[in-house]
Amino acid sequence: MNFIIWNCRGSRSPKFRGNFRNLLDYHRPALVALLETHQENHQTIPQEFQFSNVIAVPGTTSAGGIAILWHEHILTVTAVALMPQEIHCKIQVIPSTVEWLFSAIYVNNLIDNACGTILKK
């Protein structure tokens, strides 16, 4: 079973879409975590790339955003906690009854939205 975790630095461009499609065709992942999508709404991504579901936290047009996509015939994914820069979820491989915790975290190195503090380089 394959998972892909990708800091894609924007998921709207034609270049991303072509590269992502190639990765999906080659690796056939059961789950994908996209970090730094730069999108406020991720609801069209599952349909466009043939995933069953998405759990997401919004970004802006220039930073942030996390989306976890999966195939529901392979995995059951249940959100545990959603925060501005984090998604925590339980994953169960069908038909197993064992669950495990998966966390996708993206922290902008300039602005820590969780604390509201601007960090200087």
Side-chain angles (χ1 to χ4, degrees):
M1 176 175 319
N2 292 328
F3 286 13
I4 294 175
I5 302 169
W6 184 11
N7 181 355
C8 62
R9 298 185 181 143
S11 58
R12 295 181 194 253
S13 73
K15 186 175 180 180
F16 162 80
R17 295 185 182 298
N19 289 333
F20 190 42
R21 171 59 47 216
N22 289 337
L23 281 171
L24 296 176
D25 290 345
Y26 186 78
H27 295 286
R28 306 253 181 237
L31 180 139
V32 172
L34 297 175
L35 309 176
E36 201 176 1
T37 61
H38 299 184
Q39 284 191 230
E40 291 182 23
N41 186 329
H42 298 89
Q43 297 307 312
T44 60
I45 295 175
Q47 295 82 13
E48 184 175 353
F49 295 103
Q50 290 78 49
F51 283 92
S52 308
N53 291 302
V54 62
I55 295 174
V57 293
T60 66
T61 56
S62 61
I66 301 172
I68 297 177
L69 310 158
W70 71 94
H71 296 290
E72 66 184 8
H73 67 281
I74 300 172
L75 303 172
T76 300
V77 179
T78 306
V80 173
L82 301 174
M83 291 169 256
Q85 298 175 330
E86 306 170 28
I87 296 176
H88 304 279
C89 54
K90 288 191 237 178
I91 297 179
Q92 180 181 0
V93 179
I94 298 172
S96 172
T97 58
V98 177
E99 291 182 327
W100 45 279
L101 183 64
F102 177 79
S103 296
I105 301 168
Y106 172 77
V107 179
N108 185 314
N109 64 349
L110 296 177
I111 300 174
D112 183 354
N113 290 331
C115 298
T117 305
I118 298 175
L119 304 176
K120 297 183 180 185
K121 285 188 170 185

